[in-house]
Amino acid sequence: MKKFLFLSGWAALAAVVFTGCEHLDLATEGDTNRVATGTVEFYHAATLPADAEMVVTVTDPAPAPPPLVPGPDQLPLLHRQVVATALPGPAILGVQTIQGLGSSPLSFRVEFQADDALLRRGLVIDVRISSHGKVIYLNRNQYGLSLGDIGEPHEIWVESMH
């Protein structure tokens, strides 16, 4: 009977100690220098003008707001005047501009900085092709970029604006 109580006590202690560890992520954090690669395809056959330029951007659609840190000359938090501020818009993390475009498919390679937590939330790849200062092709569908597919080439389809 004493052995049973002794063993059940150890089992209960082990259950309490080890159940709290399941949420810990022991994986090492990846390198923050990232590269998004892929191709741009056209839904319909396209002949691009000689001056056409393609801009590929990687953006964070909803960056975290800046932290609120009171300065030494500010009143305590309860006595401070509240000022409404706008949330930040999408943050551009990387851009590649390509001129002298050839035929479809067009290749891209965008370098940017992003940690694993940011990639878990998800980023967006946006493509715009312009000529004479006007956008002539763009991707209307949103293309996501995440931690699971950062190493794979992405195929982005663009549509005519005409």
Side-chain angles (χ1 to χ4, degrees), residues 17-53:
V17 169
F18 293 114
T19 56
C21 297
E22 68 186 41
H23 72 280
L24 293 177
D25 184 13
L26 301 177
T28 59
E29 195 69 19
D31 186 13
T32 60
N33 296 319
R34 310 290 181 159
V35 176
T37 60
T39 57
V40 175
E41 304 274 351
F42 296 88
Y43 280 113
H44 305 287
T47 303
L48 298 173
D51 71 330
E53 139 180 303

Side-chain angles (χ1 to χ4, degrees), residues 33-38 55-59 92-98 107-113 124-127 145 150:
N33 296 319
R34 310 290 181 159
V35 176
T37 60
V55 178
V56 182
T57 59
V58 174
T59 60
I92 296 175
L93 303 177
V95 177
Q96 182 190 25
T97 303
I98 304 171
S107 297
F108 67 88
R109 183 179 195 278
V110 181
E111 297 177 2
F112 61 99
Q113 298 279 320
V124 175
I125 301 174
D126 183 46
V127 176
L145 182 64
I150 187 68

Side-chain angles (χ1 to χ4, degrees), residues 1-160:
M1 181 74 172
K2 288 184 179 182
K3 285 185 180 180
F4 176 74
L5 289 175
F6 180 73
L7 290 176
S8 64
W10 276 106
L13 180 63
V16 169
V17 169
F18 293 114
T19 56
C21 297
E22 68 186 41
H23 72 280
L24 293 177
D25 184 13
L26 301 177
T28 59
E29 195 69 19
D31 186 13
T32 60
N33 296 319
R34 310 290 181 159
V35 176
T37 60
T39 57
V40 175
E41 304 274 351
F42 296 88
Y43 280 113
H44 305 287
T47 303
L48 298 173
D51 71 330
E53 139 180 303
M54 179 172 72
V55 178
V56 182
T57 59
V58 174
T59 60
D60 179 4
L68 179 62
V69 179
D73 59 340
Q74 292 181 336
L75 295 172
L77 188 60
L78 294 175
H79 301 289
R80 196 174 326 145
Q81 181 181 8
V82 177
V83 178
T85 58
L87 292 176
I92 296 175
L93 303 177
V95 177
Q96 182 190 25
T97 303
I98 304 171
Q99 297 175 338
L101 304 174
S103 60
S104 176
L106 305 170
S107 297
F108 67 88
R109 183 179 195 278
V110 181
E111 297 177 2
F112 61 99
Q113 298 279 320
D115 60 4
D116 288 352
L118 185 60
L119 281 169
R120 278 187 206 100
R121 274 197 355 244
L123 303 176
V124 175
I125 301 174
D126 183 46
V127 176
R128 295 178 189 272
I129 299 174
S130 60
S131 174
H132 299 296
K134 295 174 75 174
V135 176
I136 55 176
Y137 290 94
L138 68 105
N139 63 307
R140 293 182 191 220
N141 296 331
Q142 193 172 32
Y143 290 89
L145 182 64
S146 67
L147 186 60
D149 63 2
I150 187 68
E152 300 172 11
H154 298 273
E155 189 175 86
I156 313 264
W157 289 85
V158 293
E159 294 181 48
S160 174

